[in-house]
């Protein structure tokens, strides 16, 4: 497997929140985030990521699960799932968790791997993300 690290600055392009009435300070939300990846790995550098996360917060803590889609500079794609733990403090939110590649097309067809990530809200609509993990392309698996 190939080790890879990266980061991106993301923008929330859509967000919907629903305050729940089952308990005080309980909220469910969904958001779409888009950004451009930075990485020393040329397959990941300048790829465009979009992800969709569902966040369940109770008293400022909770979970986030979702799906991501990367479009690479060669127009190939990979996608997968993620899940993490959410904490809030001082009006900001941090999510730390894991991701897994679940599919792809072009040279990313059959790719496997995953890793860890961390996102930190910088404003109501901007976040910074960092990640590290491993991947293996299907053609490398056959070799």
């Amino acid at each position: 497997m190939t080790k890879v690290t990266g980061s991106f600055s993301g923008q929330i392009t859509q967000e919907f929140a629903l305050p729940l009435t089952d308990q005080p300070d309980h909220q469910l939300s969904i958001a779409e985030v888009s950004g451009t990846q930075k990485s020393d790995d040329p397959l990941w550098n300048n790829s465009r990521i979009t992800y969709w996360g569902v966040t369940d917060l109770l008293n400022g803590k909770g979970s986030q699960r979702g799906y991501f889609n990367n479009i690479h500079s060669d127009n190939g794609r990979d996608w997968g799932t993620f899940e993490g733990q959410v904490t809030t403090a001082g009006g900001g939110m941090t999510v730390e968790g894991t991701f897994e590649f679940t599919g792809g097309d072009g040279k990313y067809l059959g790719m496997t791997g995953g890793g860890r990530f961390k996102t930190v809200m910088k404003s109501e609509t901007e976040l910074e993300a960092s990640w590290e993990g491993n991947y293996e392309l299907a053609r490398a698996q056959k070799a």
Side-chain angles (χ1 to χ4, degrees), residues 46-101:
N46 293 318
S47 66
R48 295 182 318 271
I49 185 170
T50 302
Y51 74 82
W52 302 267
V54 176
T55 305
D56 185 359
L57 282 178
L58 179 60
N59 299 319
K61 294 182 181 177
S63 63
Q64 186 177 87
R65 293 176 179 264
Y67 306 90
F68 63 86
N69 182 64
N70 285 303
I71 300 175
H72 298 269
S73 58
D74 61 5
N75 289 320
R77 291 186 320 131
D78 73 79
W79 54 84
T81 60
F82 68 90
E83 60 182 49
Q85 294 301 305
V86 180
T87 56
T88 61
M93 184 171 81
T94 300
V95 182
E96 294 186 69
T98 59
F99 65 90
E100 180 180 3
F101 300 111

Side-chain angles (χ1 to χ4, degrees), residues 1-141:
M1 287 215 158
T2 303
K3 287 187 179 236
V4 63
T5 62
S7 64
F8 67 91
S9 296
Q11 290 280 105
I12 296 175
T13 56
Q14 297 186 67
E15 182 176 28
F16 304 95
L18 178 65
L20 304 178
T21 59
D22 63 333
Q23 300 176 62
D25 202 19
H26 191 188
Q27 180 175 297
L28 191 62
S29 63
I30 186 169
E32 177 183 78
V33 175
S34 293
T36 300
Q37 309 260 24
K38 295 178 183 175
S39 177
D40 289 338
D41 187 318
L43 293 180
W44 299 99
N45 196 42
N46 293 318
S47 66
R48 295 182 318 271
I49 185 170
T50 302
Y51 74 82
W52 302 267
V54 176
T55 305
D56 185 359
L57 282 178
L58 179 60
N59 299 319
K61 294 182 181 177
S63 63
Q64 186 177 87
R65 293 176 179 264
Y67 306 90
F68 63 86
N69 182 64
N70 285 303
I71 300 175
H72 298 269
S73 58
D74 61 5
N75 289 320
R77 291 186 320 131
D78 73 79
W79 54 84
T81 60
F82 68 90
E83 60 182 49
Q85 294 301 305
V86 180
T87 56
T88 61
M93 184 171 81
T94 300
V95 182
E96 294 186 69
T98 59
F99 65 90
E100 180 180 3
F101 300 111
T102 60
D105 62 21
K107 73 169 75 174
Y108 308 94
L109 182 68
M111 182 176 73
T112 60
R116 300 197 54 75
F117 72 91
K118 179 177 182 179
T119 62
V120 178
M121 294 299 299
K122 297 297 184 181
S123 73
E124 285 188 19
T125 60
E126 298 175 312
L127 61 84
E128 295 289 327
S130 59
W131 49 268
E132 62 182 14
N134 297 289
Y135 71 92
E136 188 168 30
L137 299 177
R139 69 173 189 245
Q141 295 171 22

